[in-house]
Amino acid sequence: MRGYGLFYYISEAFHGLRANSLVNLLAVGTISMAMLIVGFFLLVFFNLQPIVNALGDRLEISVYLKDGLTEHEKDFLVSRLKAEPGVRKVVYLSKADALAVFKKELKGQEALIQGLGENPLPDSYEVSIERPYADADRLEALSKKFSGYPGVEDVSYGKRGAEVLSGLFKIITYGGTALAVLLGVSVVFIISNSVRLALYSRGQEIELMQWIGATKAFIQGPFLIEGMMLAMLGTALATGILAGVYYALPQEVVLFLSRPKGLDFLPPSVVAYMIIGCGFLGLVGGLVSVNKFLE
Amino acid sequence: MIQLYRVTKYYEGVPALRDVTFSVDKGEFVFVTGPSGAGKTTLLKILFCAEHADEGQIVIQGMNVFRLNPSSIPYLRRNMGFVFQDYKLLPHKTVFENIALALKVVGTPYGEIERRAYQVLKKVSMETKLHLTPPKLSGGEQQRVAVARALVNEPQVLLADEPTGNLDPQSGQEVFRLFRDINMKGTTVLVATHDWETVRKMQRRIITMEHGRVADEGRHQTMRAGETQRHNA
C-alpha cells in the first residue's frame, strides 16, 4: 500500500496552523500561560531540592549511652547501629568531646556551665541518616528502635526539623503532581477545542476526503500533528518567557534565595521533557476531537 | 460487478427502499430513474457505503458490504468514483488541487500527481483551467471537473447522482457524453437521474424505481406518453 509519510502530515499540519492562525495563536498563548505555571513550579522545585537535600543530610539521631559501658559493649552497639538500613555514618562522641562542642556552641556565655562541676554530658553516637530515611516517620521509628538497644540511655533527633522537611517535600511532591495533572488536563482540553474548530472549518474537505477513499489515519494525521505542534509551541514559548525572566532577574533576588551557587535555570533535559510531554498531551487532545468528529 | 438482493432501508421506520433486487454486470451502463423520493439517492448512498441497508445482501466487486469492516470502506470507495449533483468541489482549492486531493488520498507519489491530474483534465477538456478555483467556472465546467476527480483513480465503477440536475441541457449532454466515453473504455456506470430525455436518447438499461421498489427493469426503447408526463412531473 502506497501512502504519504510524516512529511505530508507535517506540511498539512502547517497549512492548518496558517489557515486558523488566530484560533491557534490563542491556543498557543493559553497553553504557554499554563506551562509557565508548570515551568515556574519546576524551577522552584529544582532549586529547592538541593537545599532540602542539604538540610536532610544534616539530620542526625543522637544515641546517648549509659555510664560505665565497656569497650566491648560499645563495639557491639556500634555494629548494631551500623547494620540498621538507612544509617549512613556513626560517629562516637565522648562526654569530653560533647562538652567541648557544647562550650563552642555557648561561646561568650561560658559562665553558664562553670557551675556544673563534673561533666554531666553522656557519651553518645551521632548517627547520620541516608536521605530517603530522613523523614519524620522513619526517624521516629529508628529512634524508638535505637532506644531499645542495650546500653542506650536516651535517643534524640531534630524532630521539628524532620517534620518541617517532610512537610515541605510532601507539599512539593503532591502539590506539584496535582498541579501538573490539572494543567495537563487543561492542555488536552485547550488543544481539543482548537483542533475541533479546525475540524469544523475544514468539515467539507474532510467529508469529501471520506467519500473519495481517505483512510481514517490519512484524515487524522495532520490534525494530530497540528495539536502536537500547538502544545509544543506553547511550551517552548513558556520556557522562553521563563528563561527571559530568569536571566533578567536581579542578583539581589538570587542572593535572597540564599544559595551560594545562585539560582539555577531548568536543566535542558527537563525543558526537553516538558516540550515532548506537552506535545504528547497535544496529540491526545487532537485525537479526542478528531475521533469524535469522524464518528 | 454489483449485486443487490432484497435490500431494504428504513428512515425512522419509514421504508426508503423495499426489497430492491438487481445486478449490474461489468462494463454495463445503467440508468436508475424514477420520481423524486423514489429511493434513487438512497440506493446510490448504500452502494457507496455512505448508508447501511437494514436488510438484504449487497455484493460489490466480490465484497459483501454487510460483512465489510468500517476500516475497509475507504479501499472499496477507491474502486468507485462518485459524481454528485452539487459537484462537491472544494471552492478554495484550484481545479488542479481538487483533482490532486483525490490522488493524494490513495497515496499517489508526488511525481505522478501532476501528470495524472493533467491527463484526466484533458479527458474532460478542462486542462486549460486547472489553475482556476471552482467559483470561477460554469456549472457544466464544475461538473466536468467533478467527473475528472471521480475518474482520476481509474475506478471500476462510476456512480452518479443526478449529475445534470443543476446544469443547462447542453452542459448536461456533455456530461452524459463523457459518461458514455468512460463506459466504452470498460468502466461500469450507474447513473441516477430523472432526465428522461437523455435516458431515452442513450438507449441503455433502465431500472425504474417507485416508492422505494424496483418498478421496472430493462432496456428502454420507447416511452409511453403517460409515463413521460409522470416522470417529468
Side-chain angles (χ1 to χ4, degrees), chain A residues 274-293:
Chain A
M274 268 176 79
I275 294 174
I276 293 166
C278 205
F280 176 74
L281 292 177
L283 194 80
V284 172
L287 201 64
V288 168
S289 279
V290 176
N291 279 349
K292 214 170 174 182
F293 188 85

PDB file of all heavy atoms in Angstrom, chain A residues 274-293:
ATOM      1  N   MET A 274       9.569  18.632  29.103  1.00  0.00           N
ATOM      2  CA  MET A 274       8.354  19.472  29.173  1.00  0.00           C
ATOM      3  C   MET A 274       7.739  19.626  27.786  1.00  0.00           C
ATOM      4  O   MET A 274       6.536  19.466  27.595  1.00  0.00           O
ATOM      5  CB  MET A 274       8.714  20.869  29.699  1.00  0.00           C
ATOM      6  CG  MET A 274       8.590  21.028  31.191  1.00  0.00           C
ATOM      7  SD  MET A 274       9.156  22.662  31.669  1.00  0.00           S
ATOM      8  CE  MET A 274       7.742  23.665  31.237  1.00  0.00           C
ATOM      9  N   ILE A 275       8.587  19.931  26.808  1.00  0.00           N
ATOM     10  CA  ILE A 275       8.098  20.163  25.439  1.00  0.00           C
ATOM     11  C   ILE A 275       7.548  18.869  24.846  1.00  0.00           C
ATOM     12  O   ILE A 275       6.443  18.842  24.292  1.00  0.00           O
ATOM     13  CB  ILE A 275       9.211  20.772  24.553  1.00  0.00           C
ATOM     14  CG1 ILE A 275       9.563  22.180  25.063  1.00  0.00           C
ATOM     15  CG2 ILE A 275       8.778  20.831  23.094  1.00  0.00           C
ATOM     16  CD1 ILE A 275      10.731  22.842  24.380  1.00  0.00           C
ATOM     17  N   ILE A 276       8.300  17.785  25.028  1.00  0.00           N
ATOM     18  CA  ILE A 276       7.852  16.497  24.480  1.00  0.00           C
ATOM     19  C   ILE A 276       6.578  16.032  25.188  1.00  0.00           C
ATOM     20  O   ILE A 276       5.617  15.595  24.550  1.00  0.00           O
ATOM     21  CB  ILE A 276       8.977  15.428  24.597  1.00  0.00           C
ATOM     22  CG1 ILE A 276      10.138  15.812  23.684  1.00  0.00           C
ATOM     23  CG2 ILE A 276       8.458  14.040  24.234  1.00  0.00           C
ATOM     24  CD1 ILE A 276      11.420  15.052  23.930  1.00  0.00           C
ATOM     25  N   GLY A 277       6.562  16.157  26.512  1.00  0.00           N
ATOM     26  CA  GLY A 277       5.385  15.743  27.294  1.00  0.00           C
ATOM     27  C   GLY A 277       4.155  16.517  26.885  1.00  0.00           C
ATOM     28  O   GLY A 277       3.072  15.952  26.709  1.00  0.00           O
ATOM     29  N   CYS A 278       4.319  17.811  26.711  1.00  0.00           N
ATOM     30  CA  CYS A 278       3.185  18.649  26.331  1.00  0.00           C
ATOM     31  C   CYS A 278       2.754  18.309  24.891  1.00  0.00           C
ATOM     32  O   CYS A 278       1.574  18.330  24.575  1.00  0.00           O
ATOM     33  CB  CYS A 278       3.553  20.121  26.468  1.00  0.00           C
ATOM     34  SG  CYS A 278       2.119  21.140  26.713  1.00  0.00           S
ATOM     35  N   GLY A 279       3.731  17.995  24.060  1.00  0.00           N
ATOM     36  CA  GLY A 279       3.418  17.563  22.694  1.00  0.00           C
ATOM     37  C   GLY A 279       2.551  16.318  22.714  1.00  0.00           C
ATOM     38  O   GLY A 279       1.596  16.195  21.946  1.00  0.00           O
ATOM     39  N   PHE A 280       2.866  15.414  23.619  1.00  0.00           N
ATOM     40  CA  PHE A 280       2.070  14.193  23.754  1.00  0.00           C
ATOM     41  C   PHE A 280       0.644  14.533  24.188  1.00  0.00           C
ATOM     42  O   PHE A 280      -0.329  13.974  23.663  1.00  0.00           O
ATOM     43  CB  PHE A 280       2.734  13.255  24.775  1.00  0.00           C
ATOM     44  CG  PHE A 280       1.933  12.023  25.051  1.00  0.00           C
ATOM     45  CD1 PHE A 280       1.864  10.999  24.108  1.00  0.00           C
ATOM     46  CD2 PHE A 280       1.232  11.881  26.241  1.00  0.00           C
ATOM     47  CE1 PHE A 280       1.105   9.864  24.349  1.00  0.00           C
ATOM     48  CE2 PHE A 280       0.475  10.753  26.489  1.00  0.00           C
ATOM     49  CZ  PHE A 280       0.407   9.733  25.543  1.00  0.00           C
ATOM     50  N   LEU A 281       0.520  15.488  25.120  1.00  0.00           N
ATOM     51  CA  LEU A 281      -0.819  15.908  25.568  1.00  0.00           C
ATOM     52  C   LEU A 281      -1.594  16.529  24.399  1.00  0.00           C
ATOM     53  O   LEU A 281      -2.796  16.335  24.259  1.00  0.00           O
ATOM     54  CB  LEU A 281      -0.707  16.920  26.711  1.00  0.00           C
ATOM     55  CG  LEU A 281      -0.161  16.378  28.036  1.00  0.00           C
ATOM     56  CD1 LEU A 281      -0.026  17.510  29.045  1.00  0.00           C
ATOM     57  CD2 LEU A 281      -1.061  15.301  28.606  1.00  0.00           C
ATOM     58  N   GLY A 282      -0.875  17.279  23.561  1.00  0.00           N
ATOM     59  CA  GLY A 282      -1.494  17.875  22.379  1.00  0.00           C
ATOM     60  C   GLY A 282      -2.001  16.808  21.425  1.00  0.00           C
ATOM     61  O   GLY A 282      -3.076  16.931  20.848  1.00  0.00           O
ATOM     62  N   LEU A 283      -1.218  15.752  21.305  1.00  0.00           N
ATOM     63  CA  LEU A 283      -1.596  14.616  20.457  1.00  0.00           C
ATOM     64  C   LEU A 283      -2.895  13.990  20.984  1.00  0.00           C
ATOM     65  O   LEU A 283      -3.818  13.690  20.221  1.00  0.00           O
ATOM     66  CB  LEU A 283      -0.458  13.591  20.477  1.00  0.00           C
ATOM     67  CG  LEU A 283      -0.490  12.503  19.440  1.00  0.00           C
ATOM     68  CD1 LEU A 283       0.030  13.052  18.119  1.00  0.00           C
ATOM     69  CD2 LEU A 283       0.393  11.338  19.873  1.00  0.00           C
ATOM     70  N   VAL A 284      -2.945  13.837  22.311  1.00  0.00           N
ATOM     71  CA  VAL A 284      -4.141  13.252  22.937  1.00  0.00           C
ATOM     72  C   VAL A 284      -5.346  14.165  22.696  1.00  0.00           C
ATOM     73  O   VAL A 284      -6.424  13.698  22.315  1.00  0.00           O
ATOM     74  CB  VAL A 284      -3.917  13.028  24.461  1.00  0.00           C
ATOM     75  CG1 VAL A 284      -5.202  12.597  25.153  1.00  0.00           C
ATOM     76  CG2 VAL A 284      -2.830  11.984  24.680  1.00  0.00           C
ATOM     77  N   GLY A 285      -5.138  15.472  22.887  1.00  0.00           N
ATOM     78  CA  GLY A 285      -6.218  16.441  22.667  1.00  0.00           C
ATOM     79  C   GLY A 285      -6.739  16.375  21.243  1.00  0.00           C
ATOM     80  O   GLY A 285      -7.945  16.379  21.001  1.00  0.00           O
ATOM     81  N   GLY A 286      -5.808  16.293  20.293  1.00  0.00           N
ATOM     82  CA  GLY A 286      -6.185  16.194  18.880  1.00  0.00           C
ATOM     83  C   GLY A 286      -6.947  14.924  18.603  1.00  0.00           C
ATOM     84  O   GLY A 286      -7.984  14.933  17.913  1.00  0.00           O
ATOM     85  N   LEU A 287      -6.473  13.840  19.196  1.00  0.00           N
ATOM     86  CA  LEU A 287      -7.102  12.531  18.977  1.00  0.00           C
ATOM     87  C   LEU A 287      -8.549  12.522  19.477  1.00  0.00           C
ATOM     88  O   LEU A 287      -9.451  11.988  18.814  1.00  0.00           O
ATOM     89  CB  LEU A 287      -6.278  11.459  19.708  1.00  0.00           C
ATOM     90  CG  LEU A 287      -6.434  10.024  19.251  1.00  0.00           C
ATOM     91  CD1 LEU A 287      -5.955   9.864  17.821  1.00  0.00           C
ATOM     92  CD2 LEU A 287      -5.641   9.088  20.159  1.00  0.00           C
ATOM     93  N   VAL A 288      -8.750  13.136  20.642  1.00  0.00           N
ATOM     94  CA  VAL A 288     -10.096  13.195  21.237  1.00  0.00           C
ATOM     95  C   VAL A 288     -11.060  13.862  20.249  1.00  0.00           C
ATOM     96  O   VAL A 288     -12.136  13.338  19.939  1.00  0.00           O
ATOM     97  CB  VAL A 288     -10.062  13.974  22.584  1.00  0.00           C
ATOM     98  CG1 VAL A 288     -11.456  14.304  23.072  1.00  0.00           C
ATOM     99  CG2 VAL A 288      -9.303  13.176  23.633  1.00  0.00           C
ATOM    100  N   SER A 289     -10.639  15.027  19.729  1.00  0.00           N
ATOM    101  CA  SER A 289     -11.529  15.792  18.840  1.00  0.00           C
ATOM    102  C   SER A 289     -11.728  15.100  17.496  1.00  0.00           C
ATOM    103  O   SER A 289     -12.848  15.036  16.991  1.00  0.00           O
ATOM    104  CB  SER A 289     -10.959  17.181  18.596  1.00  0.00           C
ATOM    105  OG  SER A 289     -11.282  17.992  19.664  1.00  0.00           O
ATOM    106  N   VAL A 290     -10.648  14.613  16.902  1.00  0.00           N
ATOM    107  CA  VAL A 290     -10.762  14.004  15.566  1.00  0.00           C
ATOM    108  C   VAL A 290     -11.653  12.772  15.626  1.00  0.00           C
ATOM    109  O   VAL A 290     -12.543  12.599  14.785  1.00  0.00           O
ATOM    110  CB  VAL A 290      -9.362  13.651  14.996  1.00  0.00           C
ATOM    111  CG1 VAL A 290      -9.498  12.938  13.667  1.00  0.00           C
ATOM    112  CG2 VAL A 290      -8.540  14.895  14.802  1.00  0.00           C
ATOM    113  N   ASN A 291     -11.436  11.926  16.647  1.00  0.00           N
ATOM    114  CA  ASN A 291     -12.253  10.712  16.749  1.00  0.00           C
ATOM    115  C   ASN A 291     -13.721  11.051  16.927  1.00  0.00           C
ATOM    116  O   ASN A 291     -14.578  10.431  16.318  1.00  0.00           O
ATOM    117  CB  ASN A 291     -11.768   9.835  17.907  1.00  0.00           C
ATOM    118  CG  ASN A 291     -10.560   9.018  17.497  1.00  0.00           C
ATOM    119  OD1 ASN A 291     -10.215   8.962  16.314  1.00  0.00           O
ATOM    120  ND2 ASN A 291      -9.907   8.411  18.450  1.00  0.00           N
ATOM    121  N   LYS A 292     -13.977  12.060  17.754  1.00  0.00           N
ATOM    122  CA  LYS A 292     -15.354  12.468  17.995  1.00  0.00           C
ATOM    123  C   LYS A 292     -15.971  12.988  16.686  1.00  0.00           C
ATOM    124  O   LYS A 292     -17.110  12.680  16.363  1.00  0.00           O
ATOM    125  CB  LYS A 292     -15.365  13.564  19.063  1.00  0.00           C
ATOM    126  CG  LYS A 292     -16.578  13.502  19.965  1.00  0.00           C
ATOM    127  CD  LYS A 292     -16.368  14.454  21.104  1.00  0.00           C
ATOM    128  CE  LYS A 292     -17.593  14.557  21.963  1.00  0.00           C
ATOM    129  NZ  LYS A 292     -17.417  15.507  23.050  1.00  0.00           N
ATOM    130  N   PHE A 293     -15.183  13.779  15.971  1.00  0.00           N
ATOM    131  CA  PHE A 293     -15.678  14.384  14.727  1.00  0.00           C
ATOM    132  C   PHE A 293     -15.939  13.313  13.671  1.00  0.00           C
ATOM    133  O   PHE A 293     -16.960  13.338  12.989  1.00  0.00           O
ATOM    134  CB  PHE A 293     -14.640  15.378  14.202  1.00  0.00           C
ATOM    135  CG  PHE A 293     -15.107  16.192  13.034  1.00  0.00           C
ATOM    136  CD1 PHE A 293     -15.839  17.353  13.231  1.00  0.00           C
ATOM    137  CD2 PHE A 293     -14.839  15.808  11.735  1.00  0.00           C
ATOM    138  CE1 PHE A 293     -16.278  18.110  12.160  1.00  0.00           C
ATOM    139  CE2 PHE A 293     -15.272  16.551  10.651  1.00  0.00           C
ATOM    140  CZ  PHE A 293     -15.994  17.712  10.869  1.00  0.00           C
TER     141      PHE A 293
END
